[in-house]
Amino acid sequence: MESFDALTSLVAGGGVVVLSGAGLSTESGIPDYRGPSGVARRHTPMTYQAFTRDPLARRRYWARSHLGWRLIAGAAPNAGHRAVAGLQHAGLVDTVITQNVDGLHGAAGSPSVIELHGRLDEVTCLDCGNLTSREELHRRLREANPEFVARVAAVNPDGDVDLPDEQVAAFRPVDCGICGTGMLKPDVVFFGETVPPQRVTRCFAAVEQARSLLVLGSSLTVMSGRRFVIRAAKRGIPVAIVNQGPTRGDGHATVCVDAPLGAVLPQLAARVGAGAPLKV
């Protein structure tokens, strides 16, 4: 209770920047790799180098993702997302930096979101730079693979699934529909790929102008998110962490709350007088 009171006092002061991770989306049905609801991955995450250099790896990714991304597309914002949006509309949270690629902050009504690792519902051509919707690509892949039938054994947090090699071998990827030959890639940051520098700069600027940094549902295992916690701590900006289980940022935190976000965040929003925004 004492830690929740400290969290409430921090957020009530306004000027908050939120850094969210996969733990915020687990209650929307999207699995996480870590934490109490984490899943064990059966294959190595796709790297940018393998995706761009190995046609077989690329085929494997698109076959798996063609099936699994529908889980992401069908997910709806949960009470935690809506509470964050309510805090923004109440003027207490200035910016949300999310490590998630599911687009659920925007769907919940958050007006200012920096999607650090991109969005899974958009596809980019690595040759001509054209950006298209994942729905359009899904249609084209269905047309190119009318007889592709596979049983989904498990869905991974990044929206792909586990498939045996014989089912992957029957899948046919497609190239860019604009330039005709360009390599298509989901508009997300793969392992081994760097976040666009201008996006990182925006995040650092938001953190440095904040009165406090609120971390939600991230173990802060990778430096991509942890660097913002380190920067805040170096600047003397209070850091609050709400997560199930310990994180690699706990040593920098002013307050830590170990609890489900779907329960804590609506209580927090209610305590500071910030209800969820109405969806029109």
Side-chain angles (χ1 to χ4, degrees), residues 25 36 40 52 74 83 96 106 109 118 183 221-223 243 245 259-260 267 269 280:
S25 293
T52 54
V96 173
M183 182 187 303
T221 300
V222 296
M223 185 56 74
N243 189 62
Q267 292 177 31
V280 179

Side-chain angles (χ1 to χ4, degrees), residues 11 14-20 24 80-98 103-115 202 206 214 216 265 268-270 272-279:
V11 172
V16 180
V17 167
V18 164
L19 172 64
S20 70
L24 185 59
H81 295 108
R82 293 191 294 272
V84 171
L87 292 169
Q88 280 190 281
H89 284 271
L92 298 175
V93 169
D94 295 334
T95 302
V96 173
I97 301 168
T98 185
L104 293 181
H105 278 295
S110 282
S112 177
V113 182
I114 302 175
E115 289 164 316
R202 286 180 61 206
L214 175 57
L216 302 176
L265 293 180
L268 174 64
V272 298
L278 296 175
K279 299 295 286 183

Side-chain angles (χ1 to χ4, degrees), residues 4 50 213 219 259 271:
F4 182 73
L213 177 64
S219 64
R271 180 78 70 89

